[in-house]
Amino acid sequence: MGRFAQKFAQLQTQNQGAFVPFVTLCDPDFDRSFEIICTLVENGADALELGFPFSDPLLDGPVIQAANNRALQAGCSSKESFELIAKVRSKYPEIPIGLLLCANLIYAQGLDNFYQSCAEVGVDAVLVADIPLLAAEPYIQTAKKYGIQPVFICPPNADEQTIKAVAENSEGYTYLVSRAGVTSAENQQSAVNLDNLIEGLKKYGSAPVLQGFGIAQPQQVKEALNLGVAGVISGSATVQIIEQNLTDQTKCLAELADFVKKMKNATAL
């Protein structure tokens, strides 16, 4: 049983949903990023979703775009990102780790090299944000070759065929996007048909569903879990705390700790 499956099984016995923060690796630099990730884990994060710094992120709004730029300006590439994951995995052998990144970062290294590196540093799952299911077969096969779980996004406008394909191909977890558009903590609107999408994914045997995009408040965590998802992902709201405290790491870590505790407390079912 993989780390995500173990975590979801554990949470189910505890009557809890999952709280999964997202951060960009090496934001604002390697050492501070490691401290940030440790703070997330030690204050209640059930799993981690991590992004590789990239100059042209497709799904990200201004907050996460800025995080990418900070990491790149700090000299962090995919090499340093893998090194940081290895350091996190060494300290936290049980935490599930998923990556969310763009295909160019994988293609530049070659699929085999990339997924082999993921396996070597202890990544559990990889979501390639800009690869549609129609073009995903090489990524799926290479991921599985190295024991990495492929994850796919279920968009808010998904039709029956898309829901079925996402459910059948996602492993570890399934990423349900709350609404159309890019990532943002400010835009907290959700699509009106999320309950139908969740029901459809479950009908086709989907991996546990995590809802993301605009999750910034404990009340939203409760609302999402009430719809039937297994947990939530919070990216922009998490990264915004880093952005607001770039000159004071102690304050940054304290605010992140408080945020994670509040969001995790809201996962009690």
Side-chain angles (χ1 to χ4, degrees):
M1 186 185 288
R3 291 186 187 94
F4 274 103
Q6 289 177 14
K7 175 56 67 174
F8 286 122
Q10 175 194 341
L11 291 171
Q12 192 167 24
T13 64
Q14 297 170 339
N15 289 318
Q16 296 176 15
F19 175 65
V20 183
F22 168 93
V23 292
T24 300
L25 289 158
C26 300
D27 173 32
D29 58 45
F30 187 99
D31 291 335
R32 284 190 283 174
S33 182
F34 180 67
E35 290 181 341
I36 284 165
I37 292 168
C38 292
T39 297
L40 300 177
V41 176
E42 289 168 10
N43 286 279
D46 293 300
L48 297 167
E49 189 179 64
L50 304 174
F52 273 34
F54 185 48
S55 57
D56 300 290
L58 298 179
L59 287 175
D60 294 323
V63 171
I64 298 178
Q65 285 180 27
N68 279 278
N69 289 335
R70 288 192 296 270
L72 292 170
Q73 288 165 8
C76 290
S77 64
S78 294
K79 177 177 176 288
E80 287 78 20
S81 295
F82 277 124
E83 289 172 359
L84 182 52
I85 295 168
K87 190 173 181 180
V88 171
R89 173 56 73 215
S90 178
K91 186 168 183 178
Y92 303 107
E94 303 304 323
I95 191 83
I97 297 176
L99 299 186
L100 192 162
L101 73 171
C102 291
N104 270 3
L105 290 169
I106 300 174
Y107 192 75
Q109 299 175 55
L111 270 66
D112 276 278
N113 287 338
F114 174 81
Y115 284 105
Q116 183 175 0
S117 295
C118 287
E120 288 171 352
V121 300
V123 169
D124 298 291
V126 173
L127 193 169
V128 188
D130 52 344
I131 289 292
L133 275 161
L134 288 172
E137 194 59 29
Y139 294 84
I140 294 171
Q141 293 305 319
T142 313
K144 291 183 177 181
K145 176 180 174 182
Y146 292 100
I148 305 298
Q149 296 178 305
V151 176
F152 289 93
I153 290 174
C154 181
N157 61 344
D159 59 18
E160 188 81 7
Q161 184 179 359
T162 301
I163 293 170
K164 183 174 186 288
V166 168
E168 290 176 347
N169 287 286
S170 282
E171 298 181 10
Y173 65 97
T174 301
Y175 195 129
L176 175 65
V177 174
S178 300
R179 51 164 175 75
V182 296
T183 57
S184 170
E186 275 68 47
N187 186 350
Q188 297 174 17
Q189 298 297 315
S190 290
V192 294
N193 64 329
L194 287 182
D195 50 347
N196 293 330
L197 294 175
I198 295 162
E199 186 179 319
L201 288 167
K202 290 181 177 179
K203 179 176 75 173
Y204 291 113
S206 165
V209 178
L210 297 178
Q211 182 180 330
F213 274 49
I215 304 293
Q217 304 288 338
Q219 184 57 36
Q220 292 174 284
V221 177
K222 294 180 182 296
E223 290 168 358
L225 294 175
N226 286 339
L227 285 176
V229 300
V232 298
I233 296 171
S234 181
S236 293
T238 307
V239 175
Q240 206 162 45
I241 295 171
I242 301 170
E243 181 179 69
Q244 291 167 350
N245 294 284
L246 291 172
T247 59
D248 190 339
Q249 179 75 345
T250 301
K251 186 166 178 277
C252 176
L253 299 180
E255 290 191 10
L256 283 169
D258 183 60
F259 175 71
V260 173
K261 287 174 183 174
K262 287 178 179 175
M263 297 294 271
K264 177 55 194 171
N265 285 342
T267 66
L269 297 173

